[in-house]
């Protein structure tokens, strides 16, 4: 089943991926990997409510599961319902086991959804304190936050850290703000 799931995901056959992930979950309901894969396959089919319900049910049995909370937060952010997303983002970023990647992703989302960069700046600063060396993704977020805060010199310094050191590539999607 694992190989079938990997092939379905790699080829973007999301209905097949959802079916295989559902089989994995049915065979071992406590196996989080199947639940996460099932939810992500549903999300890729634009079935966000169904995916969220699946994760919500799993969280009832494992409310402190970090990985499930990350997936649920991503689903909420993808839904476009800001109040719901904000509740899940706060729940994730308020945890002791929050990662720099979690903080960065939520900071980026907050920056895109809220014209006031204060909340995004606080999250990105927390992530920066956790991450050494600074990843290009976090540097990009910090550059965008600084730009929104009216600090162009600081933004430029972070932007320089976000760029791939190779000079033979076109900018990536994440390079654009």
């Amino acid at each position: 089943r694992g190989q079938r799931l990997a092939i379905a995901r790699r080829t973007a056959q999301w209905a097949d991926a959802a079916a295989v992930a559902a089989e994995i979950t049915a065979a071992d309901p406590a196996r989080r990997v199947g639940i996460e894969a099932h939810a992500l396959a549903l999300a890729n089919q634009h079935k966000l409510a169904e995916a969220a319900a699946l994760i919500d049910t799993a969280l009832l049995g494992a409310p402190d599961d970090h990985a499930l909370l990350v997936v649920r937060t991503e689903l909420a952010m993808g839904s476009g319902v800001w109040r719901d997303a904000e509740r899940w983002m706060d729940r994730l970023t308020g945890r002791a086991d929050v990662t720099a990647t979690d903080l960065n992703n939520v900071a980026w989302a907050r920056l895109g959804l809220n014209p006031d960069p204060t909340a995004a700046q606080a999250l990105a600063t927390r992530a920066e304190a956790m991450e050494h060396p600074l990843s290009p993704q976090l540097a990009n977020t910090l550059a965008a936050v600084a730009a929104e805060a009216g600090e162009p010199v600081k933004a430029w310094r972070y932007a320089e850290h976000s760029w791939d050191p190779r000079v033979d590539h076109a900018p990536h999607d994440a390079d654009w703000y």
Side-chain angles (χ1 to χ4, degrees):
R1 288 187 191 126
Q3 188 175 22
R4 284 179 37 218
L5 177 60
I7 291 168
R9 290 172 75 174
R10 202 171 300 125
T11 59
Q13 300 297 316
W14 300 115
D16 291 343
V20 173
E23 289 175 18
I24 291 169
T25 304
D28 185 0
R31 189 167 178 213
R32 187 188 73 227
V33 174
I35 296 167
E36 289 175 31
H38 191 180
L40 294 174
L42 290 169
N44 277 295
Q45 294 177 81
H46 307 288
K47 298 178 179 179
L48 293 176
E50 194 176 334
L54 182 67
I55 296 297
D56 289 345
T57 299
L59 281 168
L60 289 175
D64 292 325
D65 190 302
H66 181 260
L68 289 173
L69 188 54
V70 169
V71 172
R72 185 60 180 89
T73 302
E74 291 170 353
L75 290 169
M77 290 189 300
S79 75
V81 180
W82 176 245
R83 288 183 195 269
D84 186 44
E86 194 168 46
R87 181 173 61 89
W88 287 103
M89 289 188 289
D90 288 345
R91 186 171 166 186
L92 176 62
T93 60
R95 295 173 55 94
D97 64 349
V98 69
T99 67
T101 299
D102 298 335
L103 292 167
N104 179 53
N105 290 342
V106 172
W108 185 258
R110 284 195 179 276
L111 187 63
L113 298 171
N114 189 344
D116 179 7
T118 306
Q121 188 170 26
L123 293 168
T125 300
R126 281 176 59 200
E128 183 179 22
M130 296 169 73
E131 189 173 272
H132 300 284
L134 195 62
S135 71
Q137 296 83 0
L138 179 55
N140 190 54
T141 300
L142 288 161
V145 167
E148 287 295 322
E151 301 178 67
V153 173
K154 189 175 183 181
W156 180 256
R157 288 187 187 129
Y158 281 121
E160 288 179 316
H161 287 289
S162 74
W163 298 326
D164 193 327
R166 297 175 297 136
V167 294
D168 63 342
H169 78 284
H172 300 282
D173 289 341
D175 291 330
W176 298 103
Y177 169 70

